[in-house]
Amino acid sequence: MNDKRVTNTQNQAASRSSFSGKIGYVLAVAGSAVGLGNIWRFPYLAAKYGGGIFLLVYLILMLTFGYTLIVSETALGRMTKKSPVGAFHAFGKSVPFQFGGWVNAVIPMLIVPYYSVIGGWVLKYLFEYLRENASLLAADDYFTGFISAGADVEIWFLIFSAVVIFVIIAGVKRGVELISKVMMPLLVILAVIVAIYSMSRPGAMAGVKYFLIPNFENFSWMTVVAAMGQMFYSLSIAMGILYTFGSYMKQEVDIEKSTVQIEVFDTGIALLAGLMVIPAVFAFSGGEPESLQAGPSLMFITLPKVFDSMGLGTAAGIMFFLLVFLAALTSAVSLAESGVSTFEDQLGWSRAKACALMGAVIVLFGSVSALGFSVLDFVQPLGMTPLDFFDFLTNSIMMPVAAFCTCILIVRVAGIGRVIKEVELSSEFRRKKLYCFFLKYLAPVCIAIILASSIAGVLGWIVL
Ligand code: PHE
């Protein structure tokens, strides 16, 4: 097996397993990519930052910058057979290399705690649907009451995290892959049905137009910043994950083709989620600016109303929140797994110890996010709730930095030629010229924009 190589990071020789085949790789990455980012985060950002114009900016960025980064990270992972810290080390050991590797590796550790809080919200809704409380959930103030009550949020967050840690300790990753194979087609079917229903509500067409037709009046720099952060988040890029996936990838898997497949799939689900949620905002609350700005709570407020009005509220609610729970679980497992393997590889820790530390990080940071709407509501870093703060810190500050490090590593150290060679081992690489252009020119510009805008936002020069 060509992927069983001796690693030189640690004292001992270690062997890497690999994905079973071409489709195994795509499915594993898709399982990690499709999650709360597509279903919960994408619709609320699109609603908040201008609808069609947000979508347009998102699509352009995904096809250019996103494509470049997926190819780069995967190729570097496959070339070095290492996760991010080791991959950067393979090219040098000085401080900038340490920094580049670690900034990539730390991001998932900061995301998984607050990700698990939202996972907990999903579980709570699933539980209430199972108790046939469909109309209770559809009531106007239900969500606000729930998150400001505190204890309940913490309990469901802990349950979700326990499941994630259990999956990682028990090593039932195969089971998770199986879940995502069954879950994904079901999720698509259900999302199509709900989206059609949602779009056919009276008044919903205004929402479809708002979401699909770009209106340049709605453009602001925050549209670009939010779209770029969302692209990183949804495609699981700029956080070391794809290095790790690449390191498990066999040489014969076509990097270019699989990148396209992953992008199509991930974006398809996000579009469907947008079509479920945004038209419903218009149908049920007239698309007032206030409801469009609802933020992280949007899905939890809007969809229960849709399900309730379907007449089949309970069944639809159970199916939907079960599938979202599974999608969130597969993503959370891959985030946490990335943290655990960094501890194992870089600190030479046992798996049990690494899982314990990951668990502690989740409980600590996650609890602050979970309780930030209630008992800890005085904790307002940069004037945001802790959950928004962690989201902002990782997406708008750390990920652009991580992406920048990857670009520099390729352009200045590894050499674009080597990366291209790696891709060409198994791909025709038809977009080679574009790739070079994006990497050298577009990526630095995008990164500069997102960083500058985020800092301007923090300083209060622009509204975040
Ligand atoms: N891409 C996932 C989502 O959209 C989030 C995630 C990021 C999962 C990184 C794994 C790794 O929800």
Side-chain angles (χ1 to χ4, degrees):
M1 248 164 61
N2 57 16
D3 43 28
K4 276 209 168 172
R5 289 189 194 164
V6 178
T7 62
N8 56 9
T9 26
Q10 294 296 319
N11 33 18
Q12 75 279 67
S15 62
R16 271 195 185 265
S17 53
S18 65
F19 296 115
S20 38
K22 292 181 190 164
I23 194 70
Y25 170 78
V26 174
L27 272 176
V29 179
S32 149
V34 174
L36 294 171
N38 310 59
I39 305 163
W40 155 75
R41 202 170 184 275
F42 181 85
Y44 95 68
L45 288 177
K48 187 167 171 183
Y49 292 109
I53 191 74
F54 175 89
L55 182 62
L56 182 69
V57 174
Y58 181 84
L59 292 177
I60 295 175
L61 284 173
M62 185 222 16
L63 291 170
T64 55
F65 189 21
Y67 169 81
T68 306
L69 274 175
I70 301 186
V71 169
S72 303
E73 294 189 9
T74 318
L76 283 172
R78 192 172 75 177
M79 188 194 290
T80 57
K81 297 273 171 247
K82 303 266 168 47
S83 312
V85 180
F88 275 79
H89 264 186
F91 295 100
K93 300 252 185 295
S94 57
V95 175
F97 292 97
Q98 300 271 2
F99 177 81
W102 279 101
V103 72
N104 272 281
V106 165
I107 295 170
M109 301 175 198
L110 291 178
I111 294 184
V112 70
Y114 84 82
Y115 201 88
S116 303
V117 173
I118 321 279
W121 296 353
V122 170
L123 270 184
K124 159 79 178 175
Y125 271 57
L126 176 59
F127 177 70
E128 293 298 336
Y129 274 111
L130 286 168
R131 291 168 68 198
E132 307 205 352
N133 277 338
S135 32
L136 184 75
L137 296 173
D140 270 343
D141 293 328
Y142 183 81
F143 182 79
T144 330
F146 161 60
I147 58 166
S148 50
D152 219 13
V153 180
E154 177 71 13
I155 290 170
W156 287 105
F157 151 66
L158 290 175
I159 296 176
F160 185 88
S161 322
V163 178
V164 173
I165 295 291
F166 170 79
V167 169
I168 291 185
I169 293 181
V172 283
K173 283 201 73 194
R174 289 266 159 242
V176 173
E177 274 163 33
L178 203 76
I179 292 179
S180 54
K181 260 187 224 170
V182 181
M183 166 206 79
M184 239 120 44
L186 285 178
L187 183 65
V188 173
I189 297 171
L190 188 72
V192 170
I193 297 174
V194 178
I196 293 177
Y197 178 82
S198 181
M199 286 188 284
S200 63
R201 291 306 80 205
M205 264 308 137
V208 177
K209 281 195 197 132
Y210 176 74
F211 178 48
L212 295 181
I213 302 176
N215 177 351
F216 289 86
E217 274 170 23
N218 291 338
F219 181 86
S220 76
W221 279 115
M222 277 319 286
T223 310
V224 182
V225 175
M228 207 177 319
Q230 171 62 15
M231 180 199 76
F232 291 145
Y233 192 97
S234 187
L235 293 169
S236 311
I237 45 188
M239 47 184 116
I241 300 273
L242 293 176
Y243 282 89
T244 312
F245 276 117
S247 73
Y248 295 125
M249 183 193 222
K250 285 188 178 171
Q251 209 105 82
E252 57 268 24
V253 179
D254 185 329
I255 294 187
E256 189 177 33
K257 233 193 228 153
S258 52
T259 300
V260 173
Q261 284 165 349
I262 291 159
E263 287 197 322
V264 168
F265 199 71
D266 191 73
T267 309
I269 305 251
L271 279 174
L272 275 175
L275 288 174
M276 280 175 9
V277 173
I278 297 177
V281 177
F282 282 74
F284 291 94
S285 36
E288 297 152 17
E290 205 181 298
S291 45
L292 283 172
Q293 298 286 324
S297 54
L298 192 66
M299 172 181 113
F300 294 90
I301 295 175
T302 313
L303 287 182
K305 291 191 200 296
V306 177
F307 298 149
D308 196 38
S309 88
M310 279 171 106
L312 289 165
T314 305
I318 293 175
M319 273 296 282
F320 178 78
F321 281 98
L322 179 64
L323 291 169
V324 175
F325 162 65
L326 294 174
L329 183 66
T330 53
S331 293
V333 165
S334 99
L335 283 164
E337 177 68 38
S338 133
V340 167
S341 54
T342 303
F343 295 142
E344 283 182 300
D345 289 353
Q346 302 310 320
L347 308 177
W349 285 12
S350 70
R351 190 156 177 90
K353 201 168 154 193
C355 288
L357 179 61
M358 192 66 242
V361 170
I362 297 181
V363 172
L364 187 73
F365 288 144
S367 296
V368 178
S369 297
L371 299 174
F373 302 94
S374 48
V375 274
L376 295 182
D377 63 2
F378 58 88
V379 181
Q380 294 256 324
L382 303 177
M384 302 177 197
T385 63
L387 192 146
D388 279 332
F389 171 74
F390 281 118
D391 193 67
F392 174 77
L393 176 71
T394 47
N395 280 272
S396 303
I397 311 255
M398 295 177 75
M399 290 183 201
V401 174
F404 184 68
C405 293
T406 296
C407 294
I408 293 284
L409 182 69
I410 296 179
V411 177
R412 289 289 162 86
V413 185
I416 298 191
R418 264 182 84 185
V419 174
I420 290 178
K421 241 196 214 142
E422 178 68 36
V423 178
E424 283 182 333
L425 285 177
S426 54
S427 313
E428 255 182 68
F429 209 5
R430 268 179 271 147
R431 285 190 247 173
K432 185 161 59 186
K433 287 222 174 77
L434 283 177
Y435 172 79
C436 293
F437 174 76
F438 293 153
L439 192 69
K440 279 200 216 149
Y441 305 108
L442 181 80
V445 172
C446 289
I447 292 166
I449 293 177
I450 186 173
L451 266 181
S453 316
S454 305
I455 293 167
V458 168
L459 296 176
W461 296 345
I462 54 173
V463 184
L464 289 176

